[in-house]
Amino acid sequence: MDKVMATAQEALADVTDGRSFAVGGFGLSGVPEVLIGALYESGASDLAVVSNNCGVDGRGLGILLAAGRIARVTGSYIGENKEFARQYLAGELEVELTPQGTLAERLRAGGAGIPAFYTTAGVGTQVADGGLPWRYAADGSVAVASPPKEVRTFDGVDHILEHAVTTDYALVRAARGDRHGNLVFRRAARNFNPLAAMAGRVTVAEVEELVEPGVLGPDEIHLPGVFVQRVVALTPEQAADKGIEKRTVRER
């Protein structure tokens, strides 16, 4: 039951090219920076990433993106990253844009063993009708477009069919965790980290504070250890290294 690995590099030693990753974080909150750094050091490329956003220039998944290691992104927000926009518009990156709530449910459904579900989000738009540009050609034309989705009516309201997401790996960050993989997330870090963790076949969690089994009470645990296969304990310096996406201060 002891799932603690010595280093982040050891936890990702079996990663090869072409693997898919669900990655937690919301903006720069709760981003598994140390694991992303280890993935970068591994040299793995042609990666498919499922994440709310793809980091910012120079932090988070933005590091892998700038190195040309990511081939496909499924996400709901592409702002704050100029290199992301450049690669997408230049046809170097395939991007599947998904409504944020739909993305969250697709990850949760994958972890719960639910293959697909119906939702009203996107009805009457290109999300349902197809035609969203997933990949551009070098000349600016659309090389790959999203397919139309099945529409079904429930109680007089149209819904579209969305498929669950599962990935080869999931990378998440937790405020506290124990050796069994039980995790606790802090505030905004709880937005996508538990859902990403559920979707991964092999889930690796970096934890800011590692505690012994039994310290976390049942009511404290946000994600049970059954969803986590590997745990990496961060050093105090790694735990304290947190980026601020937009620094704002009030006027004096």
Side-chain angles (χ1 to χ4, degrees), residues 3-24:
K3 302 175 182 180
V4 176
M5 311 293 285
T7 65
Q9 289 75 13
E10 179 183 334
L12 298 178
D14 56 354
V15 173
T16 56
D17 292 350
R19 295 297 185 178
S20 58
F21 288 81
V23 182

Side-chain angles (χ1 to χ4, degrees), residues 22-26 29-32 36 50-51 61 170-173 189 192-193 196-197:
V23 182
F26 192 79
S29 177
V31 176
I36 291 172
V50 182
S51 185
L61 288 170
L171 307 181
V172 300
R173 180 172 182 139
F192 272 93
N193 271 301

Side-chain angles (χ1 to χ4, degrees), residues 1-218:
M1 291 294 292
D2 191 342
K3 302 175 182 180
V4 176
M5 311 293 285
T7 65
Q9 289 75 13
E10 179 183 334
L12 298 178
D14 56 354
V15 173
T16 56
D17 292 350
R19 295 297 185 178
S20 58
F21 288 81
V23 182
F26 192 79
L28 287 181
S29 177
V31 176
E33 301 264 11
V34 174
L35 290 171
I36 291 172
L39 183 56
Y40 172 82
E41 292 174 10
S42 76
S45 62
D46 196 30
L47 306 176
V49 170
V50 182
S51 185
N52 176 62
N53 58 292
C54 206
V56 300
D57 296 298
R59 288 209 71 137
L61 288 170
I63 296 172
L64 291 169
L65 193 69
R69 306 280 185 81
I70 298 176
R72 192 178 196 277
V73 174
T74 301
S76 66
Y77 180 65
I78 63 174
E80 314 304 331
N81 193 321
K82 294 179 181 179
E83 178 60 16
F84 188 113
R86 188 201 66 76
Q87 289 188 24
Y88 175 47
L89 296 175
E92 300 171 11
L93 183 69
E94 186 168 303
V95 179
E96 179 185 358
L97 284 176
T98 304
Q100 193 169 78
T102 300
L103 179 61
E105 182 62 8
R106 289 178 70 187
L107 290 164
R108 191 201 69 83
I114 300 169
F117 58 92
Y118 286 96
T119 176
T120 58
V123 170
T125 72
Q126 283 184 299
V127 172
D129 301 336
L132 284 171
W134 280 2
R135 179 185 286 275
Y136 285 102
D139 62 1
S141 62
V142 178
V144 181
S146 65
K149 296 178 179 177
E150 178 187 329
V151 179
R152 186 171 175 182
T153 303
F154 296 91
D155 298 324
V157 179
D158 286 345
H159 295 66
I160 60 176
L161 183 68
E162 293 282 1
H163 291 268
V165 168
T166 56
T167 56
D168 298 318
Y169 294 85
L171 307 181
V172 300
R173 180 172 182 139
R176 304 180 79 198
D178 65 21
R179 293 181 177 275
H180 294 174
N182 299 305
L183 303 179
V184 177
F185 304 94
R186 186 173 184 269
R187 296 182 179 177
R190 193 176 174 185
N191 283 353
F192 272 93
N193 271 301
L195 306 172
M198 292 175 67
R201 296 182 183 91
V202 176
T203 294
V204 189
E206 61 181 59
V207 299
E208 297 173 10
E209 180 187 358
L210 180 67
V211 300
E212 293 303 316
V215 172
L216 299 177

